[in-house]
Structures are given as structure tokens and as C-alpha cells.
Amino acid sequence: MTATAVNLAPPAATASAELHADWLELVAIGDGDRQASIEDLISALRTTSSSEELPEERLVDRGSEQAQSIAESAMSLAEERCQAVGRRGNYPFTFEGQALVSSRTAARNTYVYLLLLSKYGEDAGPKDVNGASLFEDVAAVAVKNYLGGQRAGAETYNFGFPRRIAPRGFEDAVRDLCSKLGEGIGPRSRPTTQSQKDAKLDLVAWVPMPDARSGKVIGFGQCATGNNWKEKVSELQSTAWCKLWLLDPLPVDPVRFFFIPHRITGSEWSQHTINAGVIFDRCRLAAYASVLDRELRERVSAWSNYVINERLR
């Protein structure tokens, strides 16, 4: 058992296998030998209160058999994640026997950034960095690549508040967005217009048509970094948003996108997709935002290194 594994208590034995897989990955990042094994997780579960939470009728040898099953399931999920991120290298871990080994450049990897964000939250990084805005920038890269990237002419617009490049005011931002989309005409005034920040819309992505006419693929996205993301899956309703805030609602309803740094349990995937639209969870984001431009890559790396040093070492 490594010192890091002792300092990073595992989730309760009754927690989801996804959280146990997260624990293995985090330990591998923080450990001096860059690895975490099934035995590390078994030992941690047996020597903490987690083992006491196992169902009484299933306890054998103080939960050792159940702990073994939990640890094996966690490692199996890590292998599934490796497949889910697509190309080799997008997942910054390798498998050596029953151990998960992190790469020497893990802190520069998008997946690791998302893992740390999922565990410690958007405020865990340097005080002068807006964690939510950094995540939106990564999400923008992912959705742009998903829509075909530069070759397809895909465009993105960070609408989430506080806006850094787009106009700060809601009406001005809507007007600017409509100008870039070539649709919507402009903002519609409502009694609550002045109090709006982004009306739950964080990111817009689209693929232009060469004739510049209306009617094209447009995506409206919401980002949620916190553990309360399940409460947000139905907040952004793109069709209603257009009717509420655009003078001329878009002729083709925007696709809904939902971006989170977490990994969703397989049994819950379909339900959340129905409610949220196209979900970009940690693995999908890592697959489509594995390559970042230099400026963004350095910001992500600095955030990750800060959190690793503060929380895992």
C-alpha cells in the first residue's frame, strides 16, 4: 500500500464501481511509483470503515471476498475507459498485471484534467483561474472536433457567463451570437431579460452552409462540473430557449449537448441521454479534446499540476 493510497481514502464499498475506478486512477497519478494495484484498493477497503458498509449477509473474512470483487470491477472499468477514449494515448494509463500505471506526462493529459475536476471541483485550481470557464474551453474543442473541426468549418461560441470575449450583457451577447449564426435576427425583450446572464446556455456550436442561408446543424450546450450535475440534465431546453430569447426562432431546432467531467454509470446512460441530449462525459471529452492548442494545453496542464501537488502529494 502506497502512502498516497492511505491519504486518499477510497469511496464507500457501496459506492459505484465508477468511483472505485476513479480512486485507482487518482492513486496512480499521485503515487511516487505512478501505479495503483487491485491489492491497493482491496487493502484500503478492508482497513477503512468502507468494509463495514458491506451488506451483513455478504461479509466473508471481514469483507475480503467482496473487496476483491469491488477491486476487480474497478480495474475492469478502467479497461473500458481505455477503449472508450479512442486512440492510444488519450487514456494516460497502461495496465501491467493487476496494476494501473500512469504515464510520465499524465498531468498534461486532458483525461487527467477531467478526472481531477470531477473529484475536486472547479475551485480546486489556482485562485486566479476560473475553473468553469476553463472547462467550457475544453468542451468547445471537443464539440468542434465532433462536428468535423476546421475541415468542416465548424464554429463555436462561448456564451456562458461571465463572458470573456463575447459581450458581457445578455441582450448584446444574443445579438452578437445571431450575427455570427446568420439566424435569429436578434434578442427578444422579456420582463426578465435584464436579469439574465446566460439562461443556462454555455456553449453554441454549428457547421455553416456555403449558401449562408438559415437552416443548419446548430448545437446548444450546457456545462456542469459539480456533483449536482444530475439536477441539471433537463435545464437547457434549446427549442424553448430560442422561442424565449430570439426574435426569429431558428427554423431547425438546435441539438442539445451536455458536458460533464464525470463518468456516467452504464446503467444510467440511456436515462440521462434522454433528458440531456448528446452527452460528452469524461471519456468522450478526452476522445475529442485530446489535442489542445498550445495556449489551452498550458492552462490545462497548470491547473492539473496545481491540483495534483495540493491534493495528491
Side-chain angles (χ1 to χ4, degrees), residues 235-277:
E235 282 187 349
L236 176 61
Q237 298 297 320
S238 56
T239 303
W241 198 99
C242 292
K243 290 179 179 179
L244 278 168
W245 306 117
L246 301 184
L247 283 174
D248 184 22
L250 305 180
V252 178
D253 291 340
V255 176
R256 289 183 299 141
F257 292 112
F258 192 66
F259 306 93
I260 57 173
H262 313 285
R263 179 67 171 159
I264 299 177
T265 302
S267 61
E268 297 181 342
W269 182 265
S270 178
Q271 172 187 335
H272 291 313
T273 298
I274 291 170
N275 288 321

Side-chain angles (χ1 to χ4, degrees), residues 4-286:
T4 301
V6 171
N7 295 333
L8 184 64
T14 51
S16 72
E18 298 288 353
L19 291 179
H20 291 121
D22 286 356
W23 187 89
L24 284 172
E25 294 170 345
L26 289 164
V27 169
I29 294 168
D31 178 55
D33 293 330
R34 299 184 292 108
Q35 63 179 294
S37 69
I38 284 180
E39 286 302 321
D40 286 338
L41 182 51
I42 292 172
S43 179
L45 288 168
R46 293 182 66 191
T47 56
T48 66
S49 59
S50 295
S51 62
E52 298 172 4
E53 299 176 25
L54 295 168
E56 189 70 29
E57 68 274 10
R58 300 178 70 179
L59 282 174
V60 178
D61 188 20
R62 297 183 61 191
S64 61
E65 289 188 1
Q66 185 66 4
Q68 176 80 28
S69 177
I70 289 171
E72 290 176 351
S73 295
M75 189 62 77
S76 294
L77 277 179
E79 293 173 352
E80 288 182 17
R81 294 173 179 188
C82 184
Q83 297 296 319
V85 297
R87 294 189 305 106
R88 182 179 180 181
N90 292 354
Y91 189 68
F93 305 94
T94 55
F95 302 90
E96 297 183 9
Q98 290 190 315
L100 191 66
V101 182
S102 67
S103 71
R104 295 186 181 279
T105 59
R108 299 178 66 83
N109 186 279
T110 301
Y111 183 94
V112 168
Y113 160 69
L114 297 167
L115 170 66
L116 294 168
L117 180 60
S118 173
K119 172 65 176 178
Y120 297 111
E122 62 187 42
D123 295 327
K127 301 304 179 185
D128 61 342
V129 176
N130 186 311
S133 295
L134 182 59
F135 180 66
E136 286 178 14
D137 289 343
V138 173
V141 172
V143 73
K144 183 174 183 176
N145 287 334
Y146 177 68
L147 293 177
Q150 186 174 357
R151 178 175 297 183
E155 302 280 354
T156 60
Y157 189 100
N158 286 48
F159 193 85
F161 189 87
R163 285 174 282 276
R164 293 155 289 160
I165 299 175
R168 183 176 178 84
F170 181 73
E171 285 189 282
D172 288 339
V174 172
R175 186 176 293 106
D176 188 49
L177 174 62
C178 288
S179 175
K180 289 179 169 57
L181 282 174
E183 301 188 36
I185 298 180
R188 180 184 294 276
S189 294
R190 300 278 185 184
T192 59
T193 298
Q194 295 303 315
S195 63
Q196 293 299 322
K197 295 180 177 180
D198 53 34
K200 309 301 182 182
L201 177 62
D202 293 319
L203 188 61
V204 181
W206 67 95
V207 180
M209 289 290 189
D211 61 12
R213 290 182 175 182
S214 63
K216 54 182 172 284
V217 173
I218 298 174
F220 277 16
Q222 184 176 16
C223 298
T225 62
N227 289 324
N228 64 337
W229 63 268
K230 293 182 181 180
E231 301 171 12
K232 300 177 179 292
V233 292
S234 300
E235 282 187 349
L236 176 61
Q237 298 297 320
S238 56
T239 303
W241 198 99
C242 292
K243 290 179 179 179
L244 278 168
W245 306 117
L246 301 184
L247 283 174
D248 184 22
L250 305 180
V252 178
D253 291 340
V255 176
R256 289 183 299 141
F257 292 112
F258 192 66
F259 306 93
I260 57 173
H262 313 285
R263 179 67 171 159
I264 299 177
T265 302
S267 61
E268 297 181 342
W269 182 265
S270 178
Q271 172 187 335
H272 291 313
T273 298
I274 291 170
N275 288 321
V278 180
I279 296 176
F280 280 79
D281 70 342
R282 186 190 308 157
C283 287
R284 287 186 171 184
L285 286 168

